[in-house]
């Protein structure tokens, strides 16, 4: 029996939700970043599942671009985190509260 | 058509369980190295699922780009910052954490509703092409219809590289000569 697409989509939804909870709950900037990568991968899974069901290669190309942008984002984001760490000696996002009202 | 679970279904269930457990490790464990290793396992499980979904090129790209480059970068940064176990910050409130989990459950309910509601109404056109999802197949679409975004992606990577170098330039200099 073939795996119904709903299973893939449900797994993608649960992974995405875990990523969202990770971004909201965790205080370490790097772990927040990892949760964002988790969200991106959940969406990639959804895209590939639909691409398989519709026989569309365009979704594969879409996923390829998502991976590229995620790589660029990871490089710049981690450089920013390193720069902030150099100033404050802390990756805790609660310590970066200068612009908080 | 055979009764009972097929090999594909068993493989999916095992990989999905591993992906879920490792995602829980990513989000809820306090040691950042365990988070990173959990994410590596999760990304590898996603690559396996890509293989199940007839996307061999993307599975290879997932392993090379995500686990092979991005996660290595994460682990290097964790090593450089010498992070310890994350302590409870005095400024975080348990109300916020409770609301975050509640919000997450609401989001999950909404997504499940959307998935249920999207059932039916399609006619799936399945590609019987054995070359589907291979590198040739993706390249044929990528380099014809999507050539401009491809070139823009390379420009984006160049910009990201320059940006990362600029940001990290003064990282190991003495503070007085930072520019």
């Amino acid at each position: 029996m073939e795996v119904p697409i709903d299973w893939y989509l449900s797994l993608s939804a649960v992974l995405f939700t875990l990523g969202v909870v990770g971004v909201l709950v965790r205080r370490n900037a790097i772990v927040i970043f990892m949760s964002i990568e988790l969200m991106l991968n959940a969406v990639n899974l959804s895209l590939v599942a639909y691409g398989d069901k519709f026989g569309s290669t365009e979704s594969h190309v879409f996923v390829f671009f998502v991976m590229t942008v995620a790589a660029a984002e990871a490089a710049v984001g981690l450089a920013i985190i390193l720069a902030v760490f150099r100033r404050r000696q802390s990756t805790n996002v609660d310590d970066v509260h200068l612009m908080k009202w | 058509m055979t009764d009972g679970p097929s090999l594909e279904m068993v493989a999916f269930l095992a990989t999905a369980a591993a992906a879920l457990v490792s995602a829980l490790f990513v989000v809820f464990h306090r040691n950042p190295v365990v988070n990173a290793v959990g994410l590596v396992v999760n990304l590898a499980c996603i690559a396996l699922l890509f293989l199940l979904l007839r996307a061999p090129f993307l599975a290879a790209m997932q392993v090379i780009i995500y686990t092979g480059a991005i996660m290595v970068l994460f682990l290097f940064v964790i090593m450089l910052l010498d992070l310890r176990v994350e302590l409870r910050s005095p400024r975080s409130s348990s109300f916020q954490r409770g609301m975050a989990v509640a919000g997450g459950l609401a989001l999950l309910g909404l997504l499940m509703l959307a998935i249920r509601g999207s059932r039916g109404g399609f006619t799936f056109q399945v590609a019987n092409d054995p070359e589907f999802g291979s590198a040739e197949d993706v390249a044929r679409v990528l380099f014809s219809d999507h050539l401009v975004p491809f070139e823009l992606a390379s420009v984006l990577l160049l910009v990201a590289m320059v940006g990362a170098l600029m940001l990290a330039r003064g990282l190991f200099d003495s503070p007085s000569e930072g520019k």
Side-chain angles (χ1 to χ4, degrees), chain B residues 6-177:
Chain B
S6 64
L7 185 60
E8 184 190 358
M9 194 173 282
V10 171
F12 170 78
L13 287 172
T15 314
L20 280 174
V21 168
S22 56
L24 286 170
F25 270 104
V26 172
V27 172
F28 290 119
H29 202 278
R30 278 184 309 139
N31 188 342
V33 177
V34 174
N35 298 136
V37 171
L39 189 56
V40 171
V41 173
N42 190 67
L43 297 174
C45 291
I46 303 265
L48 279 175
L49 290 172
F50 283 176
L51 278 178
L52 282 174
L53 287 167
R54 296 187 298 157
F57 174 70
L58 282 179
M61 286 299 108
Q62 172 90 353
V63 173
I64 293 173
I65 296 176
Y66 263 113
T67 62
I70 294 181
M71 287 319 300
V72 172
L73 190 59
F74 268 105
L75 284 165
F76 265 106
V77 170
I78 291 174
M79 175 189 77
L80 278 175
L81 300 189
D82 195 19
L83 295 175
R84 305 301 157 118
V85 170
E86 174 177 315
L87 304 166
R88 289 284 158 81
S89 158
R91 226 166 295 159
S92 77
S93 64
S94 53
F95 172 72
Q96 182 194 7
R97 304 163 87 86
M99 288 305 290
V101 174
L105 286 173
L107 175 66
L108 185 59
L110 190 62
L111 288 172
M112 289 303 192
L113 262 177
I115 293 172
R116 291 292 148 77
S118 73
R119 210 185 274 167
F122 303 129
T123 46
F124 288 133
Q125 308 134 28
V126 182
N128 294 317
D129 183 10
E131 288 291 313
F132 177 75
S134 67
E136 291 89 355
D137 198 17
V138 176
R140 191 180 316 124
V141 179
L142 179 64
F143 291 124
S144 57
D145 294 331
H146 305 281
L147 186 59
V148 175
F150 179 76
E151 300 298 333
L152 288 177
S154 65
V155 174
L156 172 73
L157 286 171
L158 176 67
V159 169
M161 203 168 16
V162 170
L165 279 171
M166 291 285 310
L167 282 167
R169 195 165 54 135
L171 197 58
F172 299 108
D173 300 337
S174 62
S176 59
E177 62 178 82

Side-chain angles (χ1 to χ4, degrees), chain A residues 77-97:
Chain A
L78 287 172
I80 291 177
I81 292 176
L82 279 175
V84 170
F85 181 82
R86 177 164 56 110
R87 272 306 199 109
R88 299 176 172 279
Q89 302 301 313
S90 160
T91 53
N92 195 327
V93 292
D94 284 330
D95 292 338
V96 188
H97 60 285

Side-chain angles (χ1 to χ4, degrees), chain A:
Chain A
M1 199 167 64
E2 200 182 295
V3 179
I5 190 178
D6 281 356
W7 290 19
Y8 285 104
L9 298 180
S10 306
L11 174 65
S12 167
V14 173
L15 287 177
F16 188 83
T17 307
L18 279 174
V20 170
V21 171
V23 169
L24 293 175
V25 167
R26 296 299 297 255
R27 298 290 102 196
N28 190 336
I30 297 182
V31 179
I32 291 177
F33 222 108
M34 286 191 229
S35 305
I36 294 176
E37 297 295 333
L38 195 55
M39 282 196 269
L40 284 170
N41 274 282
V43 171
N44 280 354
L45 181 62
S46 261
L47 275 169
V48 174
Y50 273 122
D52 175 50
K53 289 306 169 189
F54 282 104
S56 150
T57 319
E58 307 244 325
S59 68
H60 292 195
V61 171
F62 200 146
V63 171
F64 184 75
F65 283 124
V66 171
M67 284 185 196
T68 308
V69 172
E73 167 205 4
V76 176
L78 287 172
I80 291 177
I81 292 176
L82 279 175
V84 170
F85 181 82
R86 177 164 56 110
R87 272 306 199 109
R88 299 176 172 279
Q89 302 301 313
S90 160
T91 53
N92 195 327
V93 292
D94 284 330
D95 292 338
V96 188
H97 60 285
L98 275 178
M99 290 174 76
K100 194 172 170 186
W101 54 274

